[in-house]
Amino acid sequence: MKQRQVLGVLGSLLLIVGVFSPVVQMPIIGSIDYFRGGEIDGIIVLTLGAISLGLAFAKKYRWLFLTSIPALAVLLITLIHFQTKISEMKAKYIEDVGDNPFAGIGRMALETVKLDWGWGLLFLGVILVGISAYLEDKPRNQTGDTHE
């Protein structure tokens, strides 16, 4: 397998696995994965990861741009949405509790809401798929063999 194909396959697999990995950690609720029971952004990234895997195995590397760019866009939009929601949730909580003596407990719980390691898999996967699409095949030498 060429380096380009390895990167495409590995990146695609990271995208697929990343969809089912925890992306948000919340108190009481626990971890939430990107798929979240079939929401559209997780389905889109999962589908793009599966298509990327097929394209990498078929050695259709240029087509990987058509999967990596939309996957990156969906990931960025969702990440920004999560960050915005977390910030809004914290601000609303502070506004709602006022001088409540138990406000510190809730504030402490809100501070534990964080992004989780699944984002690393997803972004690494989309980057590897994109690199695979970008790399050039090495020219053949005079014996017809390719340089690896």
Side-chain angles (χ1 to χ4, degrees):
M1 219 185 257
K2 291 182 181 180
Q3 178 185 17
R4 191 174 188 185
Q5 188 174 29
V6 169
L7 290 175
V9 168
L10 181 60
S12 301
L13 290 174
L14 286 173
L15 274 175
I16 293 167
V17 170
V19 167
F20 300 104
S21 301
V23 293
V24 176
Q25 181 72 33
M26 299 180 78
I28 300 170
I29 296 171
S31 295
I32 299 173
D33 63 32
Y34 195 63
F35 193 70
R36 293 186 312 257
E39 289 193 26
I40 192 70
D41 49 350
I43 292 170
I44 291 170
V45 172
L46 179 62
T47 302
L48 291 169
I51 292 169
S52 296
L53 186 62
L55 291 170
F57 275 123
K59 299 179 181 177
K60 304 290 184 189
Y61 307 116
R62 290 288 172 221
W63 289 94
L64 290 173
F65 278 120
L66 296 177
T67 58
S68 62
I69 292 171
L72 179 61
V74 170
L75 289 174
L76 288 173
I77 289 167
T78 306
L79 181 61
I80 291 167
H81 178 75
F82 272 147
Q83 290 286 47
T84 302
K85 284 292 184 188
I86 290 170
S87 295
E88 287 174 359
M89 192 170 56
K90 288 178 182 179
K92 181 159 176 40
Y93 178 79
I94 290 169
E95 178 184 310
D96 289 347
V97 295
D99 292 332
N100 185 327
F102 299 106
I105 297 170
R107 200 172 288 123
M108 191 174 9
L110 278 175
E111 291 303 319
T112 63
V113 175
K114 61 181 174 125
L115 299 178
D116 219 337
W117 58 270
W119 288 108
L121 292 181
L122 290 163
F123 279 105
L124 181 59
V126 80
I127 288 167
L128 291 177
V129 170
I131 289 171
S132 178
Y134 179 75
L135 288 176
E136 292 291 328
D137 287 325
K138 293 183 180 176
R140 296 182 178 268
N141 63 17
Q142 292 176 335
T143 62
D145 296 332
T146 58
H147 297 92
E148 294 290 326

